[in-house]
Amino acid sequence: MYFSRPDSTIFGNTVDKARRKLGKNLAIEKPAPRSTPDDKKVVVISVPDSSNTATLGFLTESIKSNKFIKLELALIRSHYIGRTFIQPGQNNRELKVKAKFNTVKSVLRNRIIVLVDDSIVRGTTAKQLVKLIKEAHPKEIHLRITSPPIIAPCHYGMDFPSKEELIANQCNKDLEKSGSFLTLTRSNIFHLKNSTIQFPRE
């Protein structure tokens, strides 16, 4: 699901549809925070590009019970820099992330932000993105992940170097420790628990 294009079809179902469903499930399991009457609308943003459609699913489901929420394109990605989590060396990965993303600060300032991403591997990208968003002075940052914590290497197309490097293992699957690493509180980070999605047979 991570490397596939949204217009791809896997086992008879489109990747776009599956990602939207994951986003909807995420909104059901952990809804976006509600803004107070004095606040502006809660802003939902994606980490481009692979979480774009999941973010649309999250927003679609969220709007059903919360009208004070909207989608914004607040993270700008350079398409000249590839996947950062597969780059060799931690320092190199961090530099790539810094060069890969920029923010639209006016969209983020004094807002409650919900950042939707598809996964956290080592935590390098997530940590740098949280830092980048904080520089825009939002009111709050909430991180929503459309997959459970990654706790083991994947040898089917992408080989994570070791289990020890994965943030879920470094933090013993403890969200409080993960949040501390990402400079967030435990209540502001959430992984989707039920990532199983079913489609009707055609």
Side-chain angles (χ1 to χ4, degrees):
M1 291 299 297
Y2 181 75
F3 287 101
S4 301
R5 286 165 47 116
D7 56 348
S8 300
T9 300
I10 299 177
F11 302 123
N13 295 290
T14 65
V15 172
D16 174 89
K17 187 175 181 180
R19 286 177 175 164
R20 285 174 190 259
K21 181 63 175 175
L22 289 171
K24 289 179 180 180
N25 288 352
L26 186 61
I28 293 170
E29 285 192 20
K30 188 68 171 179
R34 290 185 174 275
S35 59
T36 66
D38 296 329
D39 290 327
K40 297 178 180 178
K41 286 187 176 182
V42 172
V43 170
V44 179
I45 64 176
S46 67
V47 179
D49 290 321
S50 57
S51 71
N52 287 350
T53 46
T55 305
L56 289 174
F58 183 89
L59 182 74
T60 300
E61 187 65 34
S62 298
I63 287 177
K64 293 178 181 179
S65 59
N66 183 2
K67 301 299 182 183
F68 296 98
I69 189 169
K70 67 176 181 176
L71 177 71
E72 289 283 6
L73 301 177
L75 277 178
I76 308 302
R77 175 196 162 198
S78 169
H79 288 270
Y80 297 100
I81 298 175
R83 305 286 183 180
T84 52
F85 79 95
I86 61 175
Q87 298 295 322
Q90 183 64 19
N91 289 337
N92 187 35
R93 287 191 290 269
E94 290 180 5
L95 287 172
K96 292 284 187 181
V97 173
K98 290 177 182 178
K100 185 176 181 177
F101 293 102
N102 205 349
T103 59
V104 182
K105 292 182 173 59
S106 60
V107 171
L108 302 170
R109 189 174 294 114
N110 296 323
R111 295 279 194 155
I112 297 174
I113 305 298
V114 179
L115 176 64
V116 179
D117 203 357
D118 50 28
S119 60
I120 299 181
V121 183
R122 296 180 183 87
T124 303
T125 300
K127 186 174 184 178
Q128 293 295 333
L129 287 178
V130 169
K131 180 180 178 181
L132 193 62
I133 293 170
K134 281 187 173 183
E135 291 173 356
H137 305 293
K139 185 175 182 179
E140 298 173 12
I141 303 174
H142 299 261
L143 182 59
R144 300 287 191 270
I145 309 298
T146 63
S147 65
I150 298 174
I151 59 174
C154 173
H155 302 289
Y156 296 95
M158 181 48 57
D159 191 2
F160 301 145
S162 70
K163 292 175 68 173
E164 290 71 28
E165 290 187 68
L166 303 175
I167 185 175
N169 292 331
Q170 288 183 13
C171 299
N172 297 319
K173 306 177 193 175
D174 187 326
L175 284 183
E176 188 167 345
K177 291 181 180 178
S178 296
S180 178
F181 176 81
L182 300 172
T183 67
L184 295 171
T185 63
R186 182 191 185 284
S187 61
N188 285 15
I189 177 173
F190 184 82
H191 284 268
L192 180 65
K193 295 177 181 177
N194 180 19
S195 59
T196 303
I197 50 178
Q198 295 181 338
F199 294 100
R201 294 181 180 275
E202 296 183 355

